[in-house]
Amino acid sequence: MLSATPRTTLGRSKERGSTDRADLYDVLDSGLICHLGVVVDGCPMVVPTGYGRLGDTLYLHGSTGARSLRAADGGEVCVTVTHLDGVVLARSIFHHSVNYRSAIVYGRARLVTDPDEQMAGLRALSERLAPGQWDYVRRPNRKELAATAVLALSLEEASVKTRRGGPSEEEEDYALPVWAGVLPLVTAWGAPEPDPMLPEGIDPPVHILHRE
Amino acid sequence: MLSATPRTTLGRSKERGSTDRADLYDVLDSGLICHLGVVVDGCPMVVPTGYGRLGDTLYLHGSTGARSLRAADGGEVCVTVTHLDGVVLARSIFHHSVNYRSAIVYGRARLVTDPDEQMAGLRALSERLAPGQWDYVRRPNRKELAATAVLALSLEEASVKTRRGGPSEEEEDYALPVWAGVLPLVTAWGAPEPDPMLPEGIDPPVHILHRE
């Protein structure tokens, strides 16, 4: 179950909320990037960045010099992951909507200092963005680890919101001679584009070629 | 030209920055949703939401009761639009990256009170999410307008960041027997799914059927 704190309790459209922890994992485990919110000098700052999940901990990373990471270290953050599944076309402008799945995680981020946890966090990040690569390419060396800040965020305070299905309409609008429904948005992997520096004879492995 | 304020001046990867206003418009005009960051009780809150652009003003909207909109009204906000174009697969974990185009807009949001600007803002929002629908379906009536808060945000303070192309590698890693390149991410519209309540004989119009 997900916790119910004031900020994770939906104020509106409660029917779109989920309190099931499995739904949270589903949204997080099918995303590639999140939007990380921090407060800098009293103002919000939202940056797109990678993430990974291990159990009930979310890992973020970045250069030790990045402004957003410095603000996130020890401070309150908000991490949002959104999947846009389609545009809901209604018979009135007012009832237009989108189908989506989103997760919002609140908490205080902690800089990971334990080397084993740093490596595990980076592995989780890497496997989220590019599954199979951790065991295929060169892993981080000491110098690279020193340049990479890894932050941990507990999934204790989180909310999940989902919208599916066709439009909700005003009763009288059903008589309008207007098409209504959903225009789905489909995301897929294209064909791998080899690096021009690649020597001949090295083909993309199965985990890249047939990525789901 | 885009302004150069401390928070829109890139601290890192300066070569990924753009100061061209046309690039800002490009990123904004090809997105469907943004991530709106606000500060609530000193903590960041990031929510996905629709937006529209008219000249150098960005419009956001929501229920007059929505928490994020109430926090945004008159307060500092950050609006981020991100397009993920692919995953950059390098010969080392460290140099894995993503190809993307993103825009970050900072400023103080203003609640739109002029009815003409409210309608123009809603039209911009609607045409961004579902082009062609404004002239096709029923427009907002007085009651719906009263329930909809429209916020305006100047595009005065904004930054654009883009990454394209293959991996950058450590010189010695080019000798590794590892495939490297880009796995493109492709987003497309699926076939329109009609509302079950739709009577027979109403087909989707061209602007829905052949949406780009």
Side-chain angles (χ1 to χ4, degrees):
Chain A
M1 285 282 288
L2 299 179
S3 65
T5 69
R7 55 187 179 180
T8 61
T9 303
L10 299 183
R12 300 179 51 257
S13 306
K14 288 183 198 298
E15 77 286 357
R16 297 187 187 169
S18 166
T19 54
D20 191 341
R21 194 153 277 275
D23 292 339
L24 174 66
Y25 296 159
D26 271 356
V27 172
L28 295 177
D29 295 351
S30 51
L32 293 166
I33 60 161
C34 65
H35 280 80
L36 165 67
V38 295
V39 178
V40 178
D41 299 333
C43 296
M45 179 181 186
V46 179
V47 294
T49 188
Y51 68 92
R53 182 180 75 85
L54 268 184
D56 279 317
T57 303
L58 207 66
Y59 289 97
L60 306 169
H61 78 320
S63 156
T64 49
R67 209 155 13 180
S68 52
L69 264 280
R70 288 203 311 270
D73 174 17
E76 289 281 343
V77 304
C78 178
V79 171
T80 301
V81 174
T82 307
H83 304 283
L84 192 58
D85 296 322
V87 176
V88 181
L89 302 167
R91 294 160 179 88
S92 65
I93 292 291
F94 186 76
H95 284 291
H96 274 60
S97 188
V98 290
N99 282 339
Y100 66 94
R101 294 159 288 142
S102 73
I104 304 187
V105 183
Y106 296 96
R108 205 169 269 276
R110 155 179 74 83
L111 182 69
V112 173
T113 52
D114 176 74
D116 290 343
E117 189 184 6
Q118 189 192 13
M119 197 62 106
L122 287 175
R123 183 184 178 137
L125 272 146
S126 173
E127 289 297 292
R128 174 95 305 284
L129 191 67
Q133 290 291 92
W134 189 265
D135 289 330
Y136 177 62
V137 305
R138 180 177 66 72
R139 293 192 190 164
N141 59 34
R142 200 180 299 184
K143 189 182 144 207
E144 291 168 342
L145 287 174
T148 309
V150 175
L151 295 179
L153 175 65
S154 161
L155 291 179
E156 210 176 313
E157 190 176 356
S159 65
V160 176
K161 225 171 149 180
T162 302
R163 191 202 187 281
R164 284 189 190 87
S168 307
E169 308 271 11
E170 300 300 320
E171 201 52 46
E172 59 270 28
D173 288 337
Y174 283 108
L176 294 173
V178 161
W179 189 90
V182 173
L183 192 59
L185 198 62
V186 185
T187 305
W189 296 108
E193 298 168 351
D195 180 8
M197 297 285 285
L198 202 67
E200 273 184 59
I202 302 185
D203 294 323
V206 169
H207 71 268
I208 295 172
L209 203 55
H210 298 300
R211 177 163 187 184
E212 282 180 27
Chain B
M1 285 285 286
L2 300 177
S3 64
T5 68
R7 54 187 180 180
T8 60
T9 304
L10 299 183
R12 299 178 53 257
S13 307
K14 286 182 200 297
E15 77 287 356
R16 296 187 187 168
S18 165
T19 54
D20 192 341
R21 195 153 278 274
D23 291 340
L24 174 66
Y25 297 159
D26 271 357
V27 172
L28 295 177
D29 296 350
S30 51
L32 293 166
I33 59 161
C34 65
H35 280 79
L36 165 68
V38 294
V39 178
V40 179
D41 299 332
C43 296
M45 178 181 186
V46 179
V47 293
T49 187
Y51 69 92
R53 182 181 75 86
L54 268 184
D56 279 318
T57 304
L58 207 67
Y59 289 98
L60 306 168
H61 78 319
S63 157
T64 49
R67 211 158 8 185
S68 52
L69 264 280
R70 287 203 312 270
D73 175 15
E76 289 280 344
V77 304
C78 177
V79 171
T80 301
V81 174
T82 307
H83 304 283
L84 192 58
D85 296 321
V87 176
V88 181
L89 302 167
R91 294 158 178 90
S92 66
I93 292 291
F94 186 75
H95 284 291
H96 274 60
S97 188
V98 290
N99 283 339
Y100 66 94
R101 293 158 288 143
S102 74
I104 304 187
V105 183
Y106 296 97
R108 205 169 270 277
R110 155 180 74 83
L111 181 69
V112 173
T113 52
D114 175 74
D116 289 344
E117 189 185 6
Q118 189 192 13
M119 197 62 106
L122 287 175
R123 183 185 177 138
L125 272 146
S126 174
E127 289 297 291
R128 174 94 306 282
L129 191 68
Q133 290 290 92
W134 189 266
D135 289 329
Y136 177 63
V137 305
R138 180 177 65 72
R139 294 191 190 164
N141 60 33
R142 199 180 298 187
K143 187 181 147 207
E144 291 167 343
L145 288 174
T148 309
V150 175
L151 294 179
L153 175 65
S154 162
L155 292 179
E156 210 176 316
E157 190 176 356
S159 65
V160 176
K161 226 171 148 180
T162 302
R163 191 203 188 281
R164 286 188 189 87
S168 307
E169 308 271 11
E170 300 300 320
E171 201 52 46
E172 59 270 29
D173 288 338
Y174 283 108
L176 294 173
V178 161
W179 189 90
V182 174
L183 192 59
L185 198 62
V186 185
T187 305
W189 297 108
E193 297 168 351
D195 180 10
M197 296 286 283
L198 202 67
E200 272 184 60
I202 302 186
D203 294 322
V206 169
H207 71 269
I208 295 172
L209 203 54
H210 298 299
R211 178 164 186 182
E212 282 181 25

